[in-house]
Amino acid sequence: MSDELTLGIYVPSYKRSDRILTYHLFEKCTYLVRKSEENAYLDAGISRDDIWAVDDCLIDDGLKAYFYAIDNAPEDIVVVADDDIEDFQYMLSECEMIGKNKEIITSEIERIGQIMADLGIGHAFIGPNAIPYMYDKEFAWFGIPGSVKWYNKSVFKGRPDLDVSENFDIDIILQELLYNRIALMPKYLYDKGKIDVNAGGNSARKRQDQLDSISNMRIKWGKYFRYDLKKNKPKINVSR
């Protein structure tokens, strides 16, 4: 990272004080938690300096928590990571686990932040699945987001839309493609985690909420958003 550019890693977490995973993967990260749960995370071993406790009502869903970090963190580039990441891996022609090496993982996070700053890109994200036969390049310019997302605050133009809160990460990408014409997806770096499997977090969301959000995304984005309900797979349909 350049001396002038600052980057912070934030981990929104809810009801997962008994399974701290992501905290052990970075040289420095801050857990964003509800005030009502602050003591539980302290008791779990997270340093007080690494906890950002916020009034419950301000971060009582995933969308609010993401944008609270983006709008209130002091750094130039805000990285938001899921709280259930077990490890990271490189993927080129095959997968190679990084092995919980904090220095390497943090340097990769910072490298991508520096690329965003150098190129004037507002949003970046890793993909959800490490599949070797799908690797074809180091970077792509849009895709389906996974567990880690970068926001370059001086360029980023996405804003929260509560009507699509269950698909807010895809909505943000489409906003960036509309307003900034680009988003960055590193295809060589992936996580190993338990998305929507661990208790707590967003695992208890209601099926109807998801269906309503999908319907609202279709109304909002038309042909640029598709969702296969049988396979439970979204798709961004933007030609580049």
Side-chain angles (χ1 to χ4, degrees):
M1 298 287 292
S2 65
D3 293 337
E4 298 81 12
L5 188 68
T6 58
L7 179 147
I9 302 172
Y10 294 86
V11 183
S13 189
Y14 173 57
K15 289 188 176 180
R16 284 181 175 163
S17 60
D18 60 338
R19 49 180 67 81
I20 301 302
L21 297 174
T22 305
Y23 187 60
H24 303 295
L25 299 177
F26 299 111
E27 291 181 311
K28 170 71 176 177
C29 69
T30 300
Y31 263 55
L32 176 62
V33 304
R34 304 180 192 189
K35 280 187 177 179
S36 62
E37 293 196 289
E38 179 179 9
N39 289 334
Y41 283 87
L42 287 169
D43 293 343
I46 296 184
S47 167
R48 187 174 296 276
D49 292 339
D50 296 334
I51 289 182
W52 186 5
V54 176
D55 289 339
D56 289 27
C57 63
L58 297 178
I59 56 169
D60 59 4
D61 69 23
L63 176 59
K64 289 183 180 180
Y66 263 72
F67 273 90
Y68 192 90
I70 295 166
D71 292 339
N72 293 282
E75 293 86 1
D76 301 311
I77 294 179
V78 173
V79 181
V80 182
D82 288 357
D83 65 355
D84 54 1
I85 304 173
E86 295 181 313
D87 202 346
F88 283 87
Q89 55 191 315
Y90 290 121
M91 188 181 74
L92 298 174
S93 58
E94 59 185 25
C95 294
E96 177 186 348
M97 302 307 299
I98 295 178
K100 298 181 175 65
N101 188 312
K102 291 184 177 182
E103 184 175 305
I104 291 176
I105 294 169
T106 302
S107 68
E108 289 292 356
I109 296 295
E110 292 177 343
R111 174 189 184 233
I112 293 164
Q114 185 68 61
I115 290 172
M116 294 173 67
D118 292 343
L119 298 180
I121 295 173
H123 184 34
F125 50 91
I126 64 173
N129 302 114
I131 304 174
Y133 65 79
M134 292 186 65
Y135 177 82
D136 58 351
K137 60 179 73 72
E138 188 174 3
F139 293 99
W141 307 113
F142 67 93
I144 299 302
S147 62
V148 182
K149 305 166 185 72
W150 291 252
Y151 303 93
N152 181 2
K153 288 161 51 174
S154 67
V155 184
F156 178 65
K157 294 181 180 177
R159 296 310 303 163
D161 182 347
L162 293 176
D163 289 335
V164 296
S165 60
E166 295 295 330
N167 300 102
F168 74 87
D169 47 1
I170 297 174
D171 178 61
I172 288 171
I173 292 170
L174 286 166
Q175 288 187 55
E176 283 298 289
L177 292 177
L178 176 64
Y179 298 126
N180 280 327
R181 312 304 300 168
I182 192 172
L184 184 66
M185 179 180 173
K187 297 190 72 174
Y188 71 93
L189 184 68
Y190 285 82
D191 77 293
K192 179 179 182 291
K194 296 180 178 179
I195 299 174
D196 283 344
V197 174
N198 275 336
N202 205 30
S203 60
R205 63 190 182 186
K206 296 178 180 178
R207 178 61 172 167
Q208 190 57 51
D209 292 339
Q210 298 178 58
L211 293 175
D212 290 344
S213 183
I214 291 167
S215 177
N216 289 335
M217 283 287 289
R218 287 170 171 162
I219 293 170
K220 180 175 182 178
W221 293 108
K223 66 180 182 181
Y224 301 111
F225 174 78
R226 295 287 183 269
Y227 203 103
D228 187 330
L229 289 171
K230 291 182 179 179
K231 297 180 179 179
N232 199 31
K233 290 182 65 175
K235 181 180 180 181
I236 293 175
N237 188 32
V238 179
S239 299
R240 304 294 291 178

